[in-house]
């Protein structure tokens, strides 16, 4: 990719190329790293993100998902930022909000919590889709130091920090490393349904 191509703006939309029409929340969702440092999230919007997460389904209604969250300018935001991997620290400082997703992995009887990670994943997706509905963007990250997050926030042993999420407005490519600029401009690609959904026998495409 040439230097001229890197001057392009981050696309405001990367609609999914689907075999049938999808709801706009799904078709329009994507995960930019270029976040606008001027974007702020209102109290209502911030609450709505986690209200959406609260109403995610979970096994036996065990509700294993927890979040540690803050908006840019708050001390907790900087503490969350400090637990991220070096690569993610490089672009998340301009996000309007950061959150750490935590899953309960041990139940009240000291037994492993069934599907706790899956419950957190469902809650995180609800949060992300609510962000899209609010006109915001969200990027989920595995690149974080779980032990650092546990120590920084006193997370109990029966819970496991697992993901981080950045939420904000769409920014520009200015100042981003070239490898990240290329990712921002890359089209959204998924495997075809024929490789994902089977019938009769494994590998026999349903669609």
């Amino acid at each position: 990719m040439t230097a001229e191509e890197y001057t392009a703006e981050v696309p405001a939309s990367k609609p999914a190329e689907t075999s049938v029409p999808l709801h706009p929340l799904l078709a329009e969702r994507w995960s930019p790293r270029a976040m606008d440092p001027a974007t702020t999230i209102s109290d209502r919007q911030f609450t709505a993100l986690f209200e959406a997460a609260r109403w995610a389904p979970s096994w036996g209604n065990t509700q294993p998902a927890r979040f540690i969250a803050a908006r840019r300018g708050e001390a907790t935001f900087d503490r969350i930022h400090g637990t991220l991997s070096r690569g993610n620290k490089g672009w998340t400082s301009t996000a309007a909000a950061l959150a750490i997703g935590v899953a309960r992995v041990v139940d009240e009887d000291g037994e492993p919590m069934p599907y706790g990670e899956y419950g957190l994943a469902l809650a995180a997706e609800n949060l992300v889709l609510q962000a899209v509905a609010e006109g915001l963007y969200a990027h989920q990250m595995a690149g974080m130091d779980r032990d650092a997050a546990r120590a920084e926030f006193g997370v109990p042993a029966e819970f496991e920090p697992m993901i981080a999420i950045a939420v904000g407005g769409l920014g520009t490519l200015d100042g981003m490393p070239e490898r990240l600029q290329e990712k921002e401009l890359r089209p959204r690609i998924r495997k075809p349904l024929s490789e994902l959904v089977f019938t009769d026998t494994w590998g026999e495409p349903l669609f």
Side-chain angles (χ1 to χ4, degrees):
M1 186 170 287
T2 67
E4 289 75 15
E5 288 174 303
Y6 279 124
T7 64
E9 290 298 314
V10 180
S13 176
K14 287 187 180 183
E17 295 184 7
T18 59
S19 56
V20 295
L22 297 182
H23 192 285
L25 289 180
L26 298 171
E28 297 292 334
R29 185 216 63 78
W30 71 287
S31 306
R33 295 172 181 82
M35 295 274 178
D36 178 14
T39 296
T40 59
I41 297 179
S42 70
D43 292 345
R44 185 203 62 77
Q45 289 176 315
F46 197 51
T47 302
L49 297 178
F50 299 98
E51 191 63 55
R54 184 169 77 100
W55 285 98
S58 62
W59 176 82
N61 198 30
T62 48
Q63 303 171 51
R66 303 289 188 275
F67 294 91
I68 301 164
R71 286 174 282 188
R72 190 179 60 250
E74 300 171 349
T76 298
F77 180 99
D78 296 332
R79 293 169 65 198
I80 294 172
H81 187 260
T83 70
L84 302 181
S85 66
R86 182 175 64 179
N88 286 329
K89 283 179 181 176
W91 62 268
T92 49
S93 61
T94 56
L98 289 175
I100 294 174
V102 182
R104 183 159 198 158
V105 293
V106 177
D107 67 19
E108 294 178 355
D109 296 323
E111 298 296 327
M113 172 74 81
Y115 311 114
E117 297 173 2
Y118 181 63
L120 173 61
L122 291 171
E125 181 70 355
N126 269 23
L127 187 158
V128 167
L129 293 177
Q130 183 64 34
V132 177
E134 299 288 342
L136 300 167
Y137 296 82
H139 189 108
Q140 301 177 71
M141 300 163 277
M144 59 174 293
D145 187 330
R146 295 185 181 188
D147 292 336
R150 181 182 298 282
E152 181 67 32
F153 295 103
V155 178
E158 62 268 25
F159 290 87
E160 182 66 34
M162 291 189 165
I163 58 166
I165 305 173
V167 180
L170 192 64
T172 68
L173 298 177
D174 294 345
M176 293 191 77
E178 288 191 0
R179 62 181 181 81
L180 293 185
Q181 292 191 32
E182 184 177 0
K183 288 182 178 181
E184 296 298 272
L185 298 174
R186 205 178 281 167
R188 294 172 65 195
I189 299 174
R190 293 294 186 276
K191 295 181 185 299
L193 283 179
S194 60
E195 294 184 22
L196 302 178
V197 187
F198 307 138
T199 188
D200 193 26
T201 59
W202 183 266
E204 181 68 26
L206 174 60
F207 300 105

